[in-house]
Amino acid sequence: MYHILVVDDEARIRSIVRKYAEFEGHTVTEAGDGMEAVSLCRREQFDIIILDIMMPELDGFSACREIRKTSNTPIIMLSARGEEYDKINGFELGIDDYVVKPFSPRELMLRVEAVMKRIRRSAAEAEAKNQVVELDDGGLRVDLTARLVFIDGQRVDMSPKEYDLFFYLLRNRNVALTREKLISEVWGYDFYGDARTLDTHIKLLRKTLGRYSEYIVTLRGVGYRFEERK
C-alpha cells in the first residue's frame, strides 16, 4: 500500500480522496496549499502525490517545480480546467498523469495504481536490461539501464513519462505501434482521459530530441514508429 500526499485547498476534495484511498488500504497525508506541500516533501517521503493546480500561497505548477528539485516522487495533477496548455506545462514539469475535475474517485485510485505499476515495471526492466543504444554514430546515445539520454554528447533531461514513452518506442524500433498499444503499455491502464495526451507527449518528445525527432514517424490512422535510418 502507498503513502499518498493529497494537496488541494478544498477540504471536501481532500476528504473524498482520503475516504477512497484509505478504503483501499493506503495512508494519506493532507496539505491545503502548495507551500505546505513543498514543506512536507522536504521532511517526509511519499509514494505518490495528488496535486491540485489552483491553490493559494503557491499554485500546483510552482509547487511541482519545487518538489522536482529534490524528489522524483510520482505526481498526478488535478485541475478544474482541461486546456492543452495546462497539460503540456504539467508534463514538462515532470508530472506523471493529469486528471480534470470533476473526477471519479474510483478512477483516480485506478490511475494511482497504474502510475505505481508503471514505475515498478520500468525499474524492473532497467534492472533486467543492461543496454546502451547508439544511433547516428553516437550522436544519439541512450543508456536504457541508467535512464540517460545524450544528444551530440550533451545529456538531456526528460519528464518521467517522456522517458517511458521514448524507451518503449526505442525498444520496439521499426515496429508499427498503434495508439492503443502505446497507451496500454506506457500508461498501463485502460485510458480514461483525453486521447490527445499521447500526441502531446509525442510533441514534447520530438521537441526534446531536436534534429533526431525525425526518428519518430507518424503513421496516419494507426499510431507511431521509431524508425532507424538506413
Side-chain angles (χ1 to χ4, degrees), residues 206-220:
R206 282 173 167 159
K207 179 181 177 182
T208 300
L209 292 176
R211 68 189 184 95
Y212 298 105
S213 63
E214 62 190 55
Y215 276 112
I216 301 176
V217 178
T218 300
L219 306 175
R220 291 190 179 278

Side-chain angles (χ1 to χ4, degrees), residues 2-8 17 27-31 33-34 36-42 44-52 55 60 63-68 70-78 94-99 108-109 111-112 115-116 119:
Y2 313 125
H3 186 186
I4 304 173
L5 174 61
V6 179
V7 189
D8 199 301
V17 176
T27 300
V28 175
T29 297
E30 297 182 25
D33 59 62
E36 185 180 3
V38 172
S39 179
L40 282 168
C41 288
R42 288 172 177 169
E44 300 182 47
Q45 292 290 326
F46 299 97
D47 294 308
I48 190 166
I49 301 167
I50 298 173
L51 178 67
D52 187 35
M55 294 185 295
C64 180
R65 189 176 294 108
E66 289 301 312
I67 291 169
R68 278 287 173 261
T70 58
S71 171
N72 287 320
T73 302
I75 295 175
I76 296 177
M77 188 161 274
L78 303 178
I95 69 168
D96 295 81
D97 206 347
Y98 186 103
V99 177
L108 181 60
M109 289 300 102
R111 287 176 180 254
V112 166
V115 168
M116 298 305 296
I119 288 173

Side-chain angles (χ1 to χ4, degrees), residues 2-226:
Y2 313 125
H3 186 186
I4 304 173
L5 174 61
V6 179
V7 189
D8 199 301
D9 60 321
E10 294 186 56
R12 180 181 63 86
I13 298 294
R14 299 199 306 271
S15 176
I16 291 172
V17 176
R18 174 187 283 275
K19 176 181 177 180
Y20 277 81
E22 290 183 341
F23 178 77
E24 295 193 6
H26 305 304
T27 300
V28 175
T29 297
E30 297 182 25
D33 59 62
M35 291 288 284
E36 185 180 3
V38 172
S39 179
L40 282 168
C41 288
R42 288 172 177 169
R43 301 196 309 265
E44 300 182 47
Q45 292 290 326
F46 299 97
D47 294 308
I48 190 166
I49 301 167
I50 298 173
L51 178 67
D52 187 35
I53 292 180
M54 302 301 292
M55 294 185 295
E57 300 295 334
L58 196 68
D59 64 58
F61 292 134
S62 299
C64 180
R65 189 176 294 108
E66 289 301 312
I67 291 169
R68 278 287 173 261
K69 290 180 179 178
T70 58
S71 171
N72 287 320
T73 302
I75 295 175
I76 296 177
M77 188 161 274
L78 303 178
S79 175
R81 307 182 305 183
E83 283 87 347
E84 184 180 28
Y85 168 79
D86 284 346
K87 295 181 181 181
I88 290 176
N89 195 18
F91 289 132
E92 285 184 331
L93 288 173
I95 69 168
D96 295 81
D97 206 347
Y98 186 103
V99 177
V100 178
K101 295 180 179 178
F103 58 85
S104 158
R106 176 58 181 159
E107 177 190 335
L108 181 60
M109 289 300 102
L110 287 173
R111 287 176 180 254
V112 166
E113 185 57 45
V115 168
M116 298 305 296
K117 180 180 178 181
R118 175 181 54 76
I119 288 173
R120 291 195 299 270
R121 185 175 66 240
S122 296
E125 288 175 353
E127 188 174 327
K129 295 184 179 180
N130 181 13
Q131 188 176 1
V132 174
V133 177
E134 292 189 352
L135 302 169
D136 264 11
D137 297 322
L140 177 60
R141 184 175 186 273
V142 184
D143 187 328
L144 295 168
T145 304
R147 288 175 71 88
L148 295 174
V149 179
F150 297 89
I151 293 178
D152 297 329
Q154 297 296 313
R155 177 178 170 179
V156 297
D157 293 320
M158 298 181 179
S159 70
K161 193 70 74 176
E162 276 185 275
Y163 278 120
D164 292 335
L165 179 57
F166 181 41
F167 288 1
Y168 186 79
L169 287 166
L170 193 59
R171 286 190 172 110
N172 294 276
R173 50 193 178 276
N174 299 320
V175 176
L177 299 167
T178 66
R179 294 165 60 84
E180 292 76 14
K181 178 68 172 177
L182 285 167
I183 289 171
S184 174
E185 293 296 330
V186 177
W187 274 258
Y189 59 92
D190 293 332
F191 192 55
Y192 296 99
D194 190 335
R196 292 180 301 174
T197 296
L198 172 60
D199 300 323
T200 297
H201 279 84
I202 290 289
K203 184 189 299 183
L204 291 171
L205 184 54
R206 282 173 167 159
K207 179 181 177 182
T208 300
L209 292 176
R211 68 189 184 95
Y212 298 105
S213 63
E214 62 190 55
Y215 276 112
I216 301 176
V217 178
T218 300
L219 306 175
R220 291 190 179 278
V222 179
Y224 299 94
R225 178 176 62 236
F226 190 95

